[in-house]
Amino acid sequence: MKEFGIYTGLRAALFAVCLAVLWFALRTWLSIWPIALLALIVSSILSIFVLRAARDRLAGKIETRATKMTTRLEQARSAEDDD
């Protein structure tokens, strides 16, 4: 699933950017672990807004695959019932 890889890569890139910005801003007051945790929280919140289009494409692809799988299962079930 190409969309999953794209979305995951964008999430990782957003986290890396947040980590870099927060590290440069807060490195004198905090160690790396609180900065990383803060970057994780900030990037999670930002991804809701910034990555909406990529997430919608991923959700659409998942929905399409789920619909196809459900259709195939129903066809197999009805073919089994006909026997």
Side-chain angles (χ1 to χ4, degrees):
M1 273 179 48
K2 182 177 89 172
E3 288 80 8
F4 179 75
I6 291 171
Y7 182 69
T8 303
L10 288 172
R11 287 284 307 258
L14 185 60
F15 171 74
V17 168
C18 288
L19 182 62
V21 168
L22 290 173
W23 186 76
F24 282 117
L26 302 174
R27 69 179 174 211
T28 58
W29 294 294
L30 296 173
S31 67
I32 189 65
W33 295 113
I35 292 173
L37 181 61
L38 186 59
L40 183 65
I41 293 168
V42 170
S43 68
S44 296
I45 292 169
L46 283 176
S47 72
I48 294 170
F49 305 105
V50 175
L51 302 179
R52 179 172 289 154
R55 187 176 55 254
D56 289 344
R57 282 193 305 271
L58 175 61
K61 185 64 113 173
I62 290 171
E63 183 179 3
T64 301
R65 289 184 67 176
T67 303
K68 286 179 186 178
M69 192 175 300
T70 303
T71 303
R72 277 189 269 158
L73 285 172
E74 289 298 323
Q75 288 173 349
R77 188 174 295 140
S78 66
E80 199 173 273
D81 289 342
D82 290 340
D83 290 340

